[in-house]
Amino acid sequence: GVTEKFVNRLNVRSNEDAVKFSETMLKEAQARLADVESRLAEYRNTQLVVDPEKESTQSLAMLGKMATEIARLEATLSKQRAMAPDSPANAPLTERISAYRAEMQKQRKAVVGGADSIASKLQGYELLVVERELAAKALAAATTFLESARQEAQSQRREIQGGPQTF
């Protein structure tokens, strides 16, 4: 009767509201993800860095290679000095070792020292990456919620119209 129609209208209205709310949530989640992606791109451009984590790994690997090369050169110099302390070849080898040490110090500062170091850039980058991951999860949840609300509304309409219908 009248009561059943009223209840059905309330249910339909409730389901339509749920769908509208879900659509709003989805649009907000999409906007949030787009905003984070934009800020991440801006961060990369202003900091002149694509992925500071990868860059720090590469820089640390290079520092390791430089340390190995310095050790090799020092061993060579040590042998050379033992065999020929006054050899004219000792000076260029000493200069190469000094040059490697200076470059290694410069690279070390680029990784861990100061405001322009990779380590300082890593923190801001990681915060944005985490925010992006959270925004992506919120978008996935909003999409699922919208689909669920639509299915519920469709199911409710079928029940009101007199039973299940096939599409």
Side-chain angles (χ1 to χ4, degrees):
V2 173
T3 305
E4 186 178 341
K5 285 183 180 180
F6 178 72
V7 169
N8 286 342
R9 279 199 319 261
L10 284 178
N11 285 336
V12 168
R13 176 74 187 256
S14 173
N15 288 330
E16 287 173 352
D17 288 347
V19 169
K20 287 179 184 174
F21 176 73
S22 299
E23 288 171 341
T24 301
M25 281 180 47
L26 180 64
K27 287 177 185 171
E28 288 174 2
Q30 289 169 332
R32 180 175 166 212
L33 182 58
D35 175 61
V36 173
E37 289 288 356
S38 173
R39 287 187 289 130
L40 188 56
E42 182 180 332
Y43 186 84
R44 286 176 172 148
N45 290 333
T46 59
Q47 297 298 316
L48 303 175
V49 64
V50 175
D51 185 342
E53 191 171 334
K54 285 182 184 173
E55 290 181 26
S56 68
T57 300
Q58 292 168 347
S59 294
L60 292 173
M62 186 168 62
L63 284 170
K65 288 177 184 176
M66 291 175 90
T68 300
E69 183 62 13
I70 289 170
R72 190 189 67 73
L73 290 171
E74 286 177 337
T76 301
L77 180 62
S78 184
K79 281 186 204 173
Q80 202 164 310
R81 282 185 177 157
M83 294 189 305
D86 296 327
S87 171
N90 290 348
L93 202 49
T94 302
E95 287 175 18
R96 276 185 69 193
I97 292 169
S98 293
Y100 265 101
R101 284 190 177 143
E103 183 60 28
M104 192 170 165
Q105 188 63 25
K106 190 170 119 182
Q107 292 296 323
R108 192 176 288 135
K109 282 183 182 178
V111 174
V112 295
D116 287 336
S117 70
I118 294 172
S120 69
K121 293 176 182 179
L122 191 57
Q123 181 181 8
Y125 176 81
E126 285 179 343
L127 288 172
L128 286 168
V129 168
V130 167
E131 190 175 345
R132 178 180 62 186
E133 289 171 8
L134 292 174
K137 287 180 181 179
L139 178 59
T143 302
T144 301
F145 189 69
L146 175 59
E147 187 58 37
S148 176
R150 284 180 175 160
Q151 288 175 355
E152 180 65 28
Q154 188 176 30
S155 174
Q156 186 69 35
R157 276 194 300 276
R158 277 189 251 146
E159 287 177 20
I160 292 170
Q161 292 172 354
Q165 297 177 357
T166 57
F167 293 95

